[in-house]
Amino acid sequence: MARATSARPESTRRRQRWPDGYDPENTRKSLITSALDLFEKRGFDRTSVQEIADQAQLTKGAFYHHFESKDDLLRHIQEEYLEAQLTAIQQIEAGSDDPAVRVRELIRFSLTSVAEYRAHVTIFYQERRYLTGELFAEVTRKRDLVEAAFAGMVQDGVTRGVFRADVDARIATFGLVGMCAWAYQWLNLSGPLSVDEVARQFSAMVLEGLYA
């Protein structure tokens, strides 16, 4: 019996520590989901902690148990999106060393993430200005890592002669990131073109301009 108990998933053991039914993980997720909805629809500055807690059907006490402030929650939302990007970039780099394949996959992932993390992307571009101090610095650091990885893949293609020698990797990255990120404004998941088809067309335009 002792072995069977120790083999249970960590999530099961964690929840058994709260006999009153309180589930810390789901409480945190509920607060994040509520904030994503409210920040996207109303904006960070027009949303209160009380409103986030109310929509999640929780208390302000529960909010402050998980987040130091509304700013801290905004930072978490920003980092959640950026960390997903960094993980995907690592997978793309591990999957192929062909610069064209990597750029194509970057575009596909960038558009897929706009669809999957639409609220995150909207909040990232519209509400990031409300972060200050260390919270802003940490988000900026991770954003710079994402952009540096994009630029590194483009520069690798230039260095290896796959992409044109006159391409500035940093400028190409700004164009690539901006083109894909702005899709949160117009990408229609129920429209005539799938995300993969949009990604294919974007890739064709970008690579046509990059190829040596």
Side-chain angles (χ1 to χ4, degrees):
M1 291 296 290
R3 289 182 182 175
T5 301
S6 63
R8 278 183 246 175
E10 175 62 25
S11 60
T12 301
R13 296 199 302 275
R14 179 168 57 247
R15 288 169 184 164
Q16 287 183 332
R17 296 172 188 160
W18 303 90
D20 60 354
Y22 175 61
D23 187 333
E25 183 178 346
N26 281 338
T27 296
R28 186 179 180 85
K29 287 180 179 178
S30 295
L31 289 165
I32 293 168
T33 299
S34 174
L36 281 167
D37 180 59
L38 291 170
F39 289 170
E40 182 183 19
K41 291 178 179 176
R42 301 176 55 188
F44 174 82
D45 61 329
R46 293 184 295 277
T47 300
S48 69
V49 169
Q50 186 65 62
E51 288 168 331
I52 294 170
D54 286 347
Q55 179 157 301
Q57 298 184 342
L58 295 165
T59 64
K60 286 178 71 174
F63 179 95
Y64 287 113
H65 178 76
H66 291 275
F67 302 101
E68 294 180 6
S69 63
K70 192 172 68 163
D71 298 56
D72 182 41
L73 175 53
L74 178 61
R75 174 201 57 82
H76 175 86
I77 289 171
Q78 306 274 285
E79 289 191 340
E80 198 169 59
Y81 170 60
L82 291 169
E83 285 167 5
Q85 286 193 305
L86 289 169
T87 298
I89 287 168
Q90 291 174 349
Q91 293 171 346
I92 289 169
E93 289 175 332
S96 175
D97 65 353
D98 183 327
V101 171
R102 285 180 167 184
V103 168
R104 192 178 293 112
E105 284 300 303
L106 276 176
I107 292 171
R108 187 189 64 78
F109 166 73
S110 296
L111 289 172
T112 300
S113 68
V114 166
E116 183 178 352
Y117 292 93
R118 193 164 204 139
H120 288 78
V121 177
T122 302
I123 293 165
F124 182 80
Y125 286 103
Q126 295 185 354
E127 311 299 328
R128 188 177 61 201
R129 66 188 184 277
Y130 292 107
L131 289 177
T132 59
E134 289 300 317
L135 297 179
F136 179 79
E138 180 60 19
V139 168
T140 300
R141 184 186 70 81
K142 290 187 177 180
R143 181 208 62 190
D144 290 347
L145 287 175
V146 170
E147 292 182 355
F150 273 58
M153 292 187 198
V154 174
Q155 184 58 54
D156 179 54
V158 173
T159 301
R160 293 166 60 180
V162 177
F163 299 151
R164 291 163 38 192
D166 64 341
V167 168
D168 183 302
R170 187 164 177 265
I171 297 301
T173 296
F174 287 154
L176 182 60
V177 171
M179 182 175 71
C180 293
W182 195 249
Y184 83 88
Q185 292 276 10
W186 55 261
L187 188 62
N188 182 2
L189 298 182
S190 50
L193 298 180
S194 67
V195 173
D196 284 343
E197 176 58 21
V198 175
R200 187 194 66 77
Q201 293 193 28
F202 271 27
S203 295
M205 289 188 290
V206 171
L207 291 173
E208 182 66 26
L210 288 176
Y211 276 137

